[in-house]
Amino acid sequence: VCNYRIIFWIFQELQIDYSKYEHPPVLTVEEQAKYVSSSEGALSKNLFLKDKKNRYYIVSAMTDTKVDMKVLSQRLGLGKGGIRMAPEEALSELLQVSLGCVTPFAVVNESARDVSLLLDQKFKNQTRCIFHPLSNDVSVSLNTLGLDKFLQSIGRDSVYIDLEVNANPVVGKDQPPDLAVYVPSNSVVVPELPTKTASIQTASKNVSAEKTKPVASAKPSKLAGNGKSAVEDSALLVFKNPEKFVEEILDKTTALLLSEGKGENVEALAETFRKRLTSEFTHLAVMYKNTAYSQGFYAGTQSQPKRP
Amino acid sequence: MEVDKKEEIASDSSEQVVNPWEVSAKDGGKIDYDKLIDQFGCQRLDESLIDRVERLTSRQPHVFLRRGVFFAHRDFDLVLDAYERGDKFYLYTGRGPSSEALHLGHLIPFMFTKYLQEAFKVPLVIQLTDDEKCMWKNLSVEESQRLARENAKDIIACGFDVTKTFIFSDFDYVGGAFYKNMVKVAKCVTLNKAMGIFGFSGEDHIGKLSFPPVQAVPSFPSSFPHLFPGKDKLRCLIPCAIDQDPYFRMTRDVAPRLGYSKPALIESSFFPALQASGENGKMSASDPNSAIYVTDTAKDIKNKINRYAFSGGQDSIEKHREIGANLEVDIPVKYLSFFLEDDAELEHIKKEYGEGRMLTGEVKKRLTEVLTGMVERHRMARAAVTEEMVDAFMAVRPLPNMFE
C-alpha cells in the first residue's frame, strides 16, 4: 500500500509547488468544498471506471464538466454501454484507496500500472486544481505542470482530453473512436469479495462503505446472508428449483464425461463417476432436501388451523 | 463443547499434557498418541474395527478413519455389536460458539459426524453451548445467542439432514426433562471431584461449577422426550477431539448410577496449526494466520499456505533432491492426509516428496486446490442456509424418519 505521504515526498523531491489542506474525511465533492474553498483551486471529480474486458480507467475532471458515460464509452471504442463504475473491491485492490478517494495520484501504485488515466483538458486553464493525495482527509492543490512532472517521474504520460466533445454521431465511419488509443493493453482480474455477514476480516476495509450512498452489497436480505451478488442468487436456485438442480447434476456429470471419457472403457468410467461424484451430489441433495423441508416448516408455522 | 484453556495449570515439559484446556507435547516434540491412549484408558481404533464399519455400512470408511485422524474410542465396539443386532444408536456432538470465525479444525468433527449420520442412518443432536461461552468468555447473553445461531449456519452447511438432526442452544432448550437429568447428574458429582476433573478453584464463579452437567446430559436419550419417547436404553455415540475425554469420563462414571447406558466415544487427534512444527500447536481461532477459515478467499488460502504452512522440504533444491522432505513435520502433507480423498494420490505424493522428486511448491499447490474446493463448496452451502432453515433445525419437533 502506498502511504499518501509518499506523494508529498515526491512533490518535494521534484520541487513541485503545492498546498496541502487537512480536514475531516470527506466522501463527496460537496463535503470537500466545505473545507477547501474555490479560491485555492478548482475542485475535481474523480471516477474509477471499468469496461467489460476488465480494463480500468481513472477519469479526473472539473466538477462542472459533464462526463457522459455513453459518449466516453463510444469514444474509447467500447460501444455505447461498455463502461461503468468499477466495483469497490477494485478500488482497494488496484488503487489502494477507499471510497471517496479516487485521484490521479493513485497511479503511483504498482497495482495500478494497467489503469488508464484520463485528465480533463480544462484543468490546463486553471491556476491550480485540487485532488486527494490517496487519503480523503487531506487535499492538495497544484497546477497541471506540477501534475505532469509528478506523472512523468513515475513513467506516465499526462493524457488531457476534451471531455465535452459531443460530435454527432459520436463514432461512425468517418469518425473512429478518438480515445481508443488510451484503452489499456492489459486487463486486470480483481477477485470478487466473498459473501460475508459480519466476518472479522471485512471490518477495517469496509468502514467507509457505511457512510456513502448505499453500495449494492449492503442490502440486508431476510433470507440467507447479506452481500450476495446477483450471480450467487441465481446459483442458489439449484437448491430450490428442480430444473436447476437437475441441470447442475447433468452439467457436472457431462463435464466429467468430457474430461475423463476419452479412451476409457465404460465400466472404469462408471466407477470413476461413482467415486468422484457421489459425495458432491449427496451434499447437493441434502441441501435441496433441507431447503424444501424448511420451506414446508415455515409454511406450517404460518398456516391457519382447519375450519371446524 | 470446548472448555477454556487455563494457563494456571502448570505444564511440566518433561511430560505431555492433554486436557480440555491445554495440549502440549513432551519436550517440544510430537504428541505421543499411544501414550495418551494408555494414560486416558481408552482404546485404539484398529483395522479390524474399521473393516467392521465398512461391512456394516456397505461403503468405504470415511477418509478420517482410513488415515487415523479418528484413532481412539470407548465402547465403539459395543455400539457396533448392538447395531448388528438391530439396536440403533444416536449421535451427539456440539460446539462452543465463542467466535464467528470458523476454521477447518472446527469443521472436522462435524464432517465426520455427517458421515456417521449418513453411513449408519441414525439421528443426531447438536448442542450449542452458548451459556458456557457467556460464562467463560464473558460474552453478553445476547451476543452468545447470536454467535450460536451464526455457527449453526456453518454447521448446517456441512450437510446434515434436517429430518434427522436436532440443533439446540442451551439458553433455548435447558429446562423440562433435560434439566431433570442435569440435577440427577449433579447429585452424583461432589465439589471435590469437579475441582479435580475441571480444575475449578475457590475464585471461579458458581456458574462454571454448575456447567458440566449441561454438557453431560445430551448423552442420555431421556433428555429429549420429543425425539426418543420411551427409548431410555438407546445408546449414544459421541464423536469428539481427544482433549474432551476427561469431560465424558465423568459422564460415563455417572451413567450407570442413573440407570442409563454409558455413552460411547470416538475420538480424533488434533488438527495442527499452519505454522506448527510436529503436532505441538493446535489451531487457534485468535491467530488468523494459524488457520484456514471458511470465509477465506481463494487468494487468502493460497497466501496462507504459501507463506505460513510449515514446510518439511529442504533449504535448497539440490539438498531436497538428495535427501527428500521430512514428512514428519511437513504441514502441507499432513493437511493433505486429512483432506485428500484419494489414497493412491496421497501415497504417490508422500513417496515422491519424501524421496526428493517432488518439491514443496507442488505439494502446496495441490493442497491449495483441495482446500479451495472445500471452502468454496462450504460457502455455497452456507449461502443457501436461510433463517427459516435454522429455525427448522432448531425447532423442538419429532423426527419420525430418524432411522431411515
Side-chain angles (χ1 to χ4, degrees), chain A residues 93 191 194 197-201 222-224 232 235-236 239 275 280 282-283 286-287 289-291 293-294 297-298, chain B residues 118 150 157-163 295-297 299-300 380-381 383-389 392-393 395 397:
Chain A
E93 279 290 317
T197 40
S199 142
I200 39 172
Q201 292 161 293
K222 183 165 181 258
L223 306 175
E232 251 185 36
L236 293 180
F239 298 116
K275 205 168 128 186
E280 191 174 344
T282 308
H283 200 141
V286 162
M287 286 310 293
K289 179 178 178 181
N290 288 347
T291 305
Y293 179 106
S294 304
F297 179 81
Y298 180 72
Chain B
E118 259 172 35
E150 283 307 305
C158 291
F160 293 105
D161 184 334
V162 68
T163 62
T295 45
D296 281 345
T297 61
K299 195 167 152 209
D300 291 331
M380 276 302 284
V385 177
T386 58
E387 296 297 332
E388 279 80 13
M389 201 183 284
F393 269 90
R397 70 212 186 278

Side-chain angles (χ1 to χ4, degrees), chain A residues 25-28 31 87-89 91-92 97-101 136 193 202-219 227:
Chain A
V26 295
L27 292 162
T28 63
E31 277 180 88
E88 203 189 324
E89 50 263 37
L91 213 59
S92 45
V97 297
S98 56
L99 282 176
C101 224
N136 61 10
L193 278 179
T202 44
S204 51
K205 264 204 186 153
N206 289 344
V207 157
S208 46
E210 264 94 73
K211 296 189 239 152
T212 41
K213 51 186 179 346
V215 176
S217 59
K219 223 174 14 165

Side-chain angles (χ1 to χ4, degrees), chain A residues 1 6 79 114 134 140 192 215 222 234 270 290:
Chain A
V1 178
I6 221 184
D114 292 313
L134 301 190
V140 72
E192 247 184 80
V215 176
K222 183 165 181 258
S234 69
N290 288 347

